[in-house]
Amino acid sequence: TFDDLGAPDAKKPTPLTLSRLERYFTGPTPAASQDYLTQDELHKSRLNLQQELKVWTAQRNPSVLSSSAAVSVLGDLSPGGAMMVGSRQDLLAEQCPLSVQSDLRHLYSSVCELIRHFWDAFPPTSPELAEKARKMHETLQKFQAMKVRPFETEVERRYSAGGGHITQHINMMLESAYKKYTTWINRKR
């Protein structure tokens, strides 16, 4: 099992440090004269508060999956898992040799690094950041034209249809960045 899915560590109590102790000896003082509650009203208030706390506690701590069940579900929903058998992406991944998978990993890590630099420029609050956003937008477009599209074409040519499908997430990330840049340019005008 994963460590983060286990029970949380017990919290250590923090010591209470009070300054000006004399303030705490008398308790709260009323700002104005008030009517005092009777014993019966106090008892009803206490019972109502206990009932509210029970409801609140039940709503606050809904039942969740155990650690082992969560790991099992994660395995079932991962590529190659019991729930993913026969999916198009599984078949596509099985058709591609290790060299193509390695190229895809390299392509993916490269685009993630470029996109990270692009998002670092947002929101462009200075002329330098605006220039960085413009340059990174151009770089992303060049990367897509020079690296992503040729990779898709090569996969399509060699391993039947699916080159665009295998890079679908890369293209979604790029389109999201393009959309953000276009929105920013339109607002700037």
Side-chain angles (χ1 to χ4, degrees), residues 14-33:
T14 56
L16 179 63
T17 309
L18 301 175
S19 60
R20 298 185 186 176
L21 288 173
E22 64 279 354
R23 290 179 165 180
Y24 299 95
F25 291 143
T26 58
T29 55
S33 64

Side-chain angles (χ1 to χ4, degrees), residues 2-140:
F2 295 103
D3 295 333
D4 62 338
L5 296 177
D9 296 333
K11 292 183 180 179
K12 296 180 183 177
T14 56
L16 179 63
T17 309
L18 301 175
S19 60
R20 298 185 186 176
L21 288 173
E22 64 279 354
R23 290 179 165 180
Y24 299 95
F25 291 143
T26 58
T29 55
S33 64
Q34 298 176 348
D35 294 330
Y36 292 99
L37 298 175
T38 64
Q39 283 295 95
D40 188 43
E41 291 171 329
L42 283 174
H43 182 69
K44 285 180 185 177
S45 295
R46 186 170 157 252
L47 290 176
N48 285 340
L49 179 60
Q50 286 175 334
Q51 182 61 33
E52 286 292 324
L53 284 173
K54 284 180 188 176
V55 170
W56 178 75
T57 304
Q59 290 173 348
R60 188 177 62 98
N61 296 321
S63 58
V64 292
L65 288 176
S66 67
S67 301
S68 58
V71 170
S72 174
V73 167
L74 185 62
D76 288 347
L77 294 175
S78 296
M83 302 296 287
M84 301 304 287
V85 173
S87 76
R88 178 165 168 78
Q89 289 168 334
D90 267 358
L91 295 174
L92 196 59
E94 290 171 8
Q95 291 174 354
C96 294
L98 294 176
S99 62
V100 173
Q101 293 175 21
S102 175
D103 290 345
L104 180 62
R105 263 189 237 102
H106 182 69
L107 189 69
Y108 195 83
S109 64
S110 298
V111 79
C112 284
E113 184 68 17
L114 289 172
I115 285 179
R116 184 182 67 79
H117 284 287
F118 173 81
W119 287 114
D120 280 346
F122 277 89
T125 54
S126 67
E128 293 83 17
L129 283 177
E131 181 63 16
K132 180 179 180 180
R134 185 189 64 74
K135 285 182 179 178
M136 288 309 303
H137 180 258
E138 289 174 4
T139 302
L140 289 173

